[in-house]
């Protein structure tokens, strides 16, 4: 081993002085050949007869306000496959990398890394002959304090010039919530996380008010993006409805969220609008158990809790006896359930279409883990980019429209007689679909708010 090589951990702070980026956290990945840098607003132009590009870098994770404007000559273009298996053509530039008092020129590809855990990836091509990686260690070259980062980037923090948007949700640390906050900040909006449990209402016919813990009155928001977990549906929808009464635009209305959360009611609305679903039964009494099983074609069959989410409360009964025991057990607990035919030909796969403002912006195929029939990502399912048919696109758009949802995740399975609708979600996770599609879905949600409020940047 060359003892003069720099020893680094699996993650380190790097300096790109030519791009005016003094500190960016990088994933050190010897398994990747090419280095990559998070970049948005990539624009080619000509300078002195040569090809250049301008681009913006948000060097700090979960921070869309700190922006470095960069320019660089174009070295070329390269076809790169991401860790999610998606191939894309990227611009390639050269820039100086400075670490541990040493500096050398490396090649960097530019791509939107919003769905990744690091703003930069350092590949083996940039490390060759200079770096040795200790994968069990981190930040062997030193850590950055918030004060140091503030000193580097304080002058690059964009002040809000757009709308004031509140994200009404329960957990600010969730990937999806962080991405929405970041996407709004990137577009110049003032974003604020509003915890559902900290909001309370003043009902007044002349002067309705929304209060926040500590006595603050929330009276200056242009829009609210509700992301209400199932356990908070009643209270979260009450808050959303009150914002609407105050004249604040909500990306999904309380009515639409409430309809989508009631699985039975939503299925009734969907089939009444001509959408095909698996044969489904619903009954109140255990005396009707055998008839329920018969009407959906017998076992194997699916039993679903009406209040279930993310694949929880969805059980496969493989035999008639198992189905009887399962249905009667739920009934003894006074749980409301649906009994649904099992579509074997779906093969443990379903399609999730993400609809924003009347357009399918991305679609993924979710494949269940071995030994599992549920394809939900939270149940170990794997997401991959997929193309949908015109009929599947029509179904997704009609389903979202039927439930009056501006943002919806529409789940579809492919049966022997064509596609069938499983359910429609009003508050779905972004990580699987952004990672698989490499698309800025959170940004599409912010743009939907801008269009509705006729905001122009």
């Amino acid at each position: 081993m060359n003892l003069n090589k720099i020893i680094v951990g699996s993650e380190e702070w790097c300096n790109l002085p030519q791009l005016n980026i003094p500190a960016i956290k990088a994933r050190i990945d010897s398994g990747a050949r090419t280095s990559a840098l998070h970049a948005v607003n990539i624009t080619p132009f000509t300078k002195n007869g040569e090809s250049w590009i301008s681009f913006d870098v948000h060097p700090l994770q979960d921070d869309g306000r700190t922006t470095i404007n960069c320019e660089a000559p174009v070295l070329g273009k390269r076809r790169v496959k991401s860790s999610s298996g998606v191939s894309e053509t990227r611009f390639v530039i050269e820039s100086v990398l400075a670490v541990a008092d040493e500096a050398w020129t490396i090649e960097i590809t530019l791509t939107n890394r919003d769905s990744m855990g690091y703003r930069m990836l350092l590949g083996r091509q940039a490390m060759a002959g200079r770096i040795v990686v200790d994968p069990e260690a981190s930040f062997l070259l030193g850590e950055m304090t918030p004060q140091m980062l503030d000193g580097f980037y304080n002058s690059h923090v964009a002040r809000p010039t757009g709308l004031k948007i509140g994200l009404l949700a329960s957990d600010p640390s969730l990937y999806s919530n962080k991405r929405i906050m970041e996407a709004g900040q990137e577009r110049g909006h003032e974003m604020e996380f509003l915890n559902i449990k900290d909001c309370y209402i003043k009902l007044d016919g002349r002067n309705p008010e929304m209060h926040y813990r500590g006595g603050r009155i929330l009276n200056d928001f242009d829009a609210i993006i509700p992301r209400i977990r199932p356990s908070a549906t009643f209270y979260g929808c009450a808050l959303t409805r009150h914002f609407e009464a105050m004249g604040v635009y909500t990306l999904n209305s309380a009515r639409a969220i409430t309809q989508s959360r009631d699985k039975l009611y939503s299925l009734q609305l969907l089939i009444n609008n001509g959408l095909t679903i698996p044969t489904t039964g619903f009954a109140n009494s255990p005396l009707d158990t055998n008839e329920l099983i018969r009407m959906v074609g017998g076992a194997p069959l699916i039993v679903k809790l009406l209040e279930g989410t993310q694949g929880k409360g969805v059980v496969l009964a493989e035999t008639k006896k198992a189905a009887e025991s399962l249905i009667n057990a739920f009934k003894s607990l006074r749980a409301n359930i649906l009994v649904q035919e099992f579509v074997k030909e779906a093969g443990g796969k379903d399609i999730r279409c993400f609809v924003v403002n009347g357009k399918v912006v991305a679609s993924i195929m979710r494949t269940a883990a071995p030994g599992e029939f549920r394809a939900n990502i939270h149940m170990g399912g794997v997401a991959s980019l997929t193309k949908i048919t015109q009929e599947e696109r029509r179904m997704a758009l009609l389903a979202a429209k039927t439930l009056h949802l501006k943002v919806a995740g529409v789940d579809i399975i492919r049966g022997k007689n064509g596609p069938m609708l499983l359910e429609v979600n009003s508050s779905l996770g972004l990580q699987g679909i952004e990672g698989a599609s490499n698309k800025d879905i959170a940004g599409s949600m912010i743009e939907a708010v801008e269009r509705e409020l006729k905001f122009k940047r």
Side-chain angles (χ1 to χ4, degrees):
M1 179 186 294
N2 185 346
L3 297 180
N4 293 324
K5 290 183 180 180
I6 303 167
I7 301 176
V8 301
S10 60
E11 53 184 345
E12 296 288 349
W13 288 94
C14 298
N15 177 6
L16 301 172
Q18 286 184 323
L19 299 178
N20 196 28
I21 301 174
I24 185 167
K25 190 189 296 184
R27 174 70 174 175
I28 313 301
D29 189 356
S30 59
R33 176 178 178 271
T34 308
S35 298
L37 177 66
H38 170 74
V40 295
N41 302 324
I42 301 172
T43 306
F45 68 99
T46 301
K47 183 175 181 179
N48 298 326
E50 297 182 344
S51 296
W52 281 58
I53 48 173
S54 66
F55 53 96
D56 293 334
V57 176
H58 303 298
L60 305 179
Q61 198 70 29
D62 305 324
D63 180 354
R65 296 179 303 160
T66 302
T67 305
I68 306 296
N69 305 114
C70 306
E71 292 185 354
V74 176
L75 189 64
K77 291 185 178 181
R78 186 173 300 162
R79 191 77 177 168
V80 178
K81 180 178 287 189
S82 70
S83 58
S84 61
V86 178
S87 294
E88 63 172 343
T89 300
R90 302 178 185 173
F91 283 103
V92 184
I93 65 169
E94 282 187 339
S95 189
V96 170
L97 171 71
V99 292
D101 297 323
E102 293 194 29
W104 63 97
T105 300
I106 65 171
E107 292 185 2
I108 303 173
T109 64
L110 303 179
T111 185
N112 189 326
R113 292 181 58 82
D114 275 330
S115 61
M116 305 298 177
Y118 295 83
R119 293 307 205 196
M120 183 176 178
L121 182 143
L122 194 66
R124 63 178 180 272
Q125 190 178 59
M127 296 186 281
R130 295 179 178 271
I131 284 178
V132 173
V133 183
D134 180 353
E136 295 182 335
S138 295
F139 306 117
L140 293 179
L141 304 181
E143 202 21 313
M144 288 284 173
T145 66
Q147 293 76 17
M148 295 168 67
L149 293 172
D150 185 61
F152 287 141
Y153 292 122
N154 182 57
S155 62
H156 295 280
V157 176
R159 308 304 171 194
T161 57
L163 303 169
K164 185 168 184 179
I165 303 173
L167 177 59
L168 185 65
S170 298
D171 186 352
S173 67
L174 285 182
Y175 172 91
S176 303
N177 294 337
K178 291 194 294 185
R179 279 288 302 117
I180 293 169
M181 295 288 290
E182 184 180 3
Q185 292 170 352
E186 287 177 354
R187 288 158 176 79
H189 303 302
E190 182 181 351
M191 303 294 297
E192 183 173 348
F193 185 88
L194 301 175
N195 202 311
I196 290 172
K197 66 180 178 61
D198 293 335
C199 296
Y200 52 101
I201 291 170
K202 175 190 175 185
L203 292 172
D204 187 318
R206 291 175 298 178
N207 186 30
E209 291 176 348
M210 181 71 70
H211 289 242
Y212 205 63
R213 185 161 295 167
R216 178 182 161 209
I217 299 176
L218 305 178
N219 59 358
D220 57 348
F221 284 89
D222 298 296
I224 295 292
I225 299 175
R227 281 186 53 81
I228 300 167
R229 60 174 52 169
S231 61
T233 297
F234 179 81
Y235 194 64
C237 285
L239 297 175
T240 304
R241 197 177 301 114
H242 199 66
F243 273 117
E244 293 167 4
M246 294 165 57
V248 180
Y249 173 70
T250 59
L251 186 54
N252 274 339
S253 69
R255 173 195 175 195
I257 297 168
T258 302
Q259 287 182 162
S260 69
R261 285 287 158 79
D262 187 331
K263 289 185 180 178
L264 177 60
Y265 182 39
S266 64
L267 288 178
Q268 289 172 321
L269 292 172
L270 293 166
I271 59 174
N272 289 342
N273 227 1
L275 288 155
T276 304
I277 67 168
T279 302
T280 302
F282 177 72
N284 182 59
S285 171
L287 297 175
D288 300 315
T289 295
N290 286 330
E291 181 64 14
L292 271 181
I293 294 172
R294 187 197 64 77
M295 72 168 56
V296 300
L301 56 79
I302 303 294
V303 179
K304 289 184 177 182
L305 277 171
L306 288 185
E307 295 80 16
T309 182
Q310 297 176 345
K312 300 171 186 175
V314 179
V315 185
L316 172 64
E318 298 193 32
T319 66
K320 183 176 185 291
K321 186 173 182 179
E324 289 174 349
S325 299
L326 189 60
I327 293 169
N328 290 335
F330 276 129
K331 287 297 180 186
S332 70
L333 297 172
R334 298 188 178 182
N336 288 316
I337 60 169
L338 296 176
V339 178
Q340 199 167 69
E341 72 169 302
F342 177 59
V343 183
K344 185 177 180 180
E345 58 267 26
K349 297 180 179 181
D350 68 24
I351 297 167
R352 168 156 286 184
C353 301
F354 202 105
V355 179
V356 181
N357 217 24
K359 180 180 179 182
V360 177
V361 296
S363 301
I364 55 172
M365 176 78 75
R366 301 186 303 180
T367 303
E372 177 61 73
F373 74 96
R374 294 165 294 185
N376 303 70
I377 303 301
H378 289 84
M379 295 287 114
V382 178
S384 59
L385 195 63
T386 191
K387 290 184 178 180
I388 58 173
T389 65
Q390 284 298 108
E391 176 60 14
E392 289 162 350
R393 186 178 302 276
R394 184 196 71 81
M395 288 183 72
L397 294 177
L398 181 56
K401 183 178 180 181
T402 298
L403 299 184
H404 305 285
L405 289 167
K406 294 284 187 175
V407 175
V410 182
D411 295 342
I412 296 170
I413 55 173
R414 290 171 173 168
K416 59 184 177 183
N417 296 320
M420 289 187 284
L421 188 67
L422 281 183
E423 63 180 15
V424 183
N425 299 276
S426 58
S427 183
L428 63 163
L430 302 183
Q431 190 164 12
I433 199 159
E434 283 200 339
S437 67
N438 203 31
K439 291 184 177 180
D440 181 10
I441 307 299
S444 298
M445 295 171 65
I446 299 297
E447 289 168 2
V449 173
E450 293 175 341
R451 283 195 295 272
E452 183 66 28
L453 298 181
K454 298 180 172 58
F455 174 80
K456 294 183 180 180
R457 279 181 272 136

